[in-house]
Amino acid sequence: MERLQAAIEKARVQRDQQGERGIRPLAAASALAADAPSEWQELTQITLVAKHLRRGRINAPDGGHAENAPFDLLRTRMLQLCKQNNWHRVAIVSPHAGCGKSTTAANLAFSLARQSELNSLVFDFDLRRSGLSRLLGQRPRPGMTAVLEERAEFSDAGLRYGDNLAFGLLSETPAKTPSELLQSSRAAGVLNRIETRYGPDLMLFDMPPLMSSDDNYGFLQNVDCALILAAAEETAMTQIDVAERQVSELTNVLGVVLNKCRYTSGAFGHSYESY
């Protein structure tokens, strides 16, 4: 616990020193990508395997199904809040493992891809578990660990799906010191260079569970906001309260999503509350 508190305090100090990052309006971000379409086209195109999608409970990427509706609703509300606040970097976190965080990140990514005028980069930054990479059945070489360590370029590791969605996934080789890597100024610099070169409208980060390590506490200063994912009938209210308090000390809380709902008043079996 002392280590977590120390990491929170360190991140808060660094965030205060860093100040507000230069943030462009969300509607203007596409112009940057339009100036450099070749960068996106040079990324390796991937083909998704149906069995991996079914196993990971990932809905049809092309949409048109009722199962996509909750994620489309979440996408639209998220984009509205990001546009209102000029936010471009969104982390997805959870109090503990098993909340469906990586599954939500994948479905949300493909929902974003269905917005043809929107360019999105989605990163698997759960360096200890690599959940998103596993769900998609993709293990690029080199992976994002090598990119963050500046042993490889994102142009060699990034995987493109369609024309407006790209993933930064992990290889089979795990990071030796994930916490230190995510908290490093090197990783922050890498992300800044990726954002400058590819000009995405949105950068989405699948992060580790908050209570499993201190990986998040130094990194969340690099994002504009975080979406907290909780599991119905599994996540205690006290865990949600602690997660919200910890995230709010590091960045903006975009909202709290209640996943795995069996009984809801909504039409789609999912509900969420935004702030």
Side-chain angles (χ1 to χ4, degrees), residues 30-41 196-199:
S30 294
L32 283 177
D35 290 338
S38 60
E39 275 79 0
W40 283 77
Q41 295 301 320
T196 299
R197 180 173 184 182
Y198 293 91

mmCIF file of all heavy atoms in Angstrom, residues 30-41 196-199:
data_model
loop_
_atom_site.group_PDB
_atom_site.id
_atom_site.type_symbol
_atom_site.label_atom_id
_atom_site.label_comp_id
_atom_site.label_asym_id
_atom_site.label_seq_id
_atom_site.Cartn_x
_atom_site.Cartn_y
_atom_site.Cartn_z
ATOM 1 N N SER A 30 -8.540 15.135 -37.297
ATOM 2 C CA SER A 30 -8.528 14.393 -38.558
ATOM 3 C C SER A 30 -7.682 15.078 -39.617
ATOM 4 O O SER A 30 -7.160 14.429 -40.507
ATOM 5 C CB SER A 30 -9.958 14.224 -39.081
ATOM 6 O OG SER A 30 -10.710 13.420 -38.226
ATOM 7 N N ALA A 31 -7.560 16.395 -39.516
ATOM 8 C CA ALA A 31 -6.767 17.114 -40.500
ATOM 9 C C ALA A 31 -5.307 16.682 -40.439
ATOM 10 O O ALA A 31 -4.629 16.586 -41.458
ATOM 11 C CB ALA A 31 -6.875 18.619 -40.257
ATOM 12 N N LEU A 32 -4.817 16.407 -39.235
ATOM 13 C CA LEU A 32 -3.446 15.942 -39.095
ATOM 14 C C LEU A 32 -3.268 14.602 -39.789
ATOM 15 O O LEU A 32 -2.295 14.370 -40.501
ATOM 16 C CB LEU A 32 -3.079 15.821 -37.615
ATOM 17 C CG LEU A 32 -2.774 17.124 -36.880
ATOM 18 C CD1 LEU A 32 -2.510 16.831 -35.410
ATOM 19 C CD2 LEU A 32 -1.578 17.822 -37.485
ATOM 20 N N ALA A 33 -4.209 13.687 -39.553
ATOM 21 C CA ALA A 33 -4.121 12.371 -40.181
ATOM 22 C C ALA A 33 -4.250 12.486 -41.697
ATOM 23 O O ALA A 33 -3.617 11.750 -42.442
ATOM 24 C CB ALA A 33 -5.203 11.456 -39.626
ATOM 25 N N ALA A 34 -5.071 13.426 -42.141
ATOM 26 C CA ALA A 34 -5.264 13.589 -43.578
ATOM 27 C C ALA A 34 -3.989 14.058 -44.264
ATOM 28 O O ALA A 34 -3.751 13.781 -45.431
ATOM 29 C CB ALA A 34 -6.390 14.590 -43.843
ATOM 30 N N ASP A 35 -3.140 14.775 -43.500
ATOM 31 C CA ASP A 35 -1.888 15.249 -44.072
ATOM 32 C C ASP A 35 -0.872 14.128 -44.237
ATOM 33 O O ASP A 35 0.095 14.269 -44.976
ATOM 34 C CB ASP A 35 -1.286 16.339 -43.175
ATOM 35 C CG ASP A 35 -2.118 17.614 -43.233
ATOM 36 O OD1 ASP A 35 -2.852 17.784 -44.226
ATOM 37 O OD2 ASP A 35 -2.039 18.417 -42.290
ATOM 38 N N ALA A 36 -1.063 13.035 -43.515
ATOM 39 C CA ALA A 36 -0.083 11.954 -43.564
ATOM 40 C C ALA A 36 -0.754 10.587 -43.694
ATOM 41 O O ALA A 36 -0.577 9.720 -42.866
ATOM 42 C CB ALA A 36 0.797 11.995 -42.319
ATOM 43 N N PRO A 37 -1.540 10.386 -44.771
ATOM 44 C CA PRO A 37 -2.234 9.110 -44.922
ATOM 45 C C PRO A 37 -1.284 7.946 -45.140
ATOM 46 O O PRO A 37 -1.589 6.810 -44.822
ATOM 47 C CB PRO A 37 -3.128 9.344 -46.148
ATOM 48 C CG PRO A 37 -2.428 10.419 -46.920
ATOM 49 C CD PRO A 37 -1.805 11.300 -45.894
ATOM 50 N N SER A 38 -0.109 8.229 -45.690
ATOM 51 C CA SER A 38 0.835 7.154 -45.981
ATOM 52 C C SER A 38 1.308 6.464 -44.707
ATOM 53 O O SER A 38 1.580 5.264 -44.713
ATOM 54 C CB SER A 38 2.033 7.708 -46.755
ATOM 55 O OG SER A 38 2.709 8.698 -46.006
ATOM 56 N N GLU A 39 1.413 7.199 -43.606
ATOM 57 C CA GLU A 39 1.851 6.600 -42.349
ATOM 58 C C GLU A 39 0.886 5.500 -41.909
ATOM 59 O O GLU A 39 1.307 4.434 -41.459
ATOM 60 C CB GLU A 39 1.974 7.660 -41.255
ATOM 61 C CG GLU A 39 3.298 8.398 -41.245
ATOM 62 C CD GLU A 39 3.371 9.480 -42.308
ATOM 63 O OE1 GLU A 39 2.381 9.640 -43.050
ATOM 64 O OE2 GLU A 39 4.418 10.162 -42.399
ATOM 65 N N TRP A 40 -0.396 5.753 -42.035
ATOM 66 C CA TRP A 40 -1.383 4.740 -41.667
ATOM 67 C C TRP A 40 -1.340 3.568 -42.641
ATOM 68 O O TRP A 40 -1.412 2.404 -42.237
ATOM 69 C CB TRP A 40 -2.786 5.358 -41.648
ATOM 70 C CG TRP A 40 -3.051 6.193 -40.433
ATOM 71 C CD1 TRP A 40 -2.601 7.457 -40.210
ATOM 72 C CD2 TRP A 40 -3.790 5.817 -39.282
ATOM 73 N NE1 TRP A 40 -3.032 7.898 -38.985
ATOM 74 C CE2 TRP A 40 -3.766 6.921 -38.396
ATOM 75 C CE3 TRP A 40 -4.495 4.671 -38.924
ATOM 76 C CZ2 TRP A 40 -4.417 6.900 -37.161
ATOM 77 C CZ3 TRP A 40 -5.139 4.643 -37.694
ATOM 78 C CH2 TRP A 40 -5.099 5.743 -36.821
ATOM 79 N N GLN A 41 -1.222 3.861 -43.919
ATOM 80 C CA GLN A 41 -1.238 2.794 -44.913
ATOM 81 C C GLN A 41 -0.009 1.890 -44.826
ATOM 82 O O GLN A 41 -0.059 0.727 -45.239
ATOM 83 C CB GLN A 41 -1.332 3.401 -46.322
ATOM 84 C CG GLN A 41 -2.636 4.140 -46.586
ATOM 85 C CD GLN A 41 -3.857 3.251 -46.436
ATOM 86 O OE1 GLN A 41 -3.837 2.093 -46.847
ATOM 87 N NE2 GLN A 41 -4.917 3.783 -45.851
ATOM 88 N N THR A 196 2.049 12.628 -32.694
ATOM 89 C CA THR A 196 2.426 13.661 -33.660
ATOM 90 C C THR A 196 2.467 13.103 -35.078
ATOM 91 O O THR A 196 2.004 13.751 -36.033
ATOM 92 C CB THR A 196 3.802 14.247 -33.296
ATOM 93 O OG1 THR A 196 3.729 14.852 -31.996
ATOM 94 C CG2 THR A 196 4.235 15.294 -34.317
ATOM 95 N N ARG A 197 3.004 11.899 -35.227
ATOM 96 C CA ARG A 197 3.175 11.336 -36.570
ATOM 97 C C ARG A 197 1.860 10.866 -37.178
ATOM 98 O O ARG A 197 1.612 11.078 -38.367
ATOM 99 C CB ARG A 197 4.164 10.183 -36.526
ATOM 100 C CG ARG A 197 4.385 9.547 -37.898
ATOM 101 C CD ARG A 197 5.481 8.511 -37.888
ATOM 102 N NE ARG A 197 5.723 7.993 -39.230
ATOM 103 C CZ ARG A 197 6.608 7.044 -39.515
ATOM 104 N NH1 ARG A 197 7.344 6.519 -38.552
ATOM 105 N NH2 ARG A 197 6.754 6.628 -40.753
ATOM 106 N N TYR A 198 1.006 10.231 -36.368
ATOM 107 C CA TYR A 198 -0.199 9.611 -36.930
ATOM 108 C C TYR A 198 -1.455 10.456 -36.739
ATOM 109 O O TYR A 198 -2.475 10.185 -37.366
ATOM 110 C CB TYR A 198 -0.397 8.215 -36.313
ATOM 111 C CG TYR A 198 0.693 7.254 -36.723
ATOM 112 C CD1 TYR A 198 1.841 7.116 -35.968
ATOM 113 C CD2 TYR A 198 0.596 6.522 -37.903
ATOM 114 C CE1 TYR A 198 2.865 6.254 -36.346
ATOM 115 C CE2 TYR A 198 1.608 5.664 -38.302
ATOM 116 C CZ TYR A 198 2.740 5.540 -37.511
ATOM 117 O OH TYR A 198 3.758 4.700 -37.902
ATOM 118 N N GLY A 199 -1.398 11.454 -35.875
ATOM 119 C CA GLY A 199 -2.519 12.378 -35.723
ATOM 120 C C GLY A 199 -3.853 11.739 -35.455
ATOM 121 O O GLY A 199 -4.843 12.092 -36.117
#
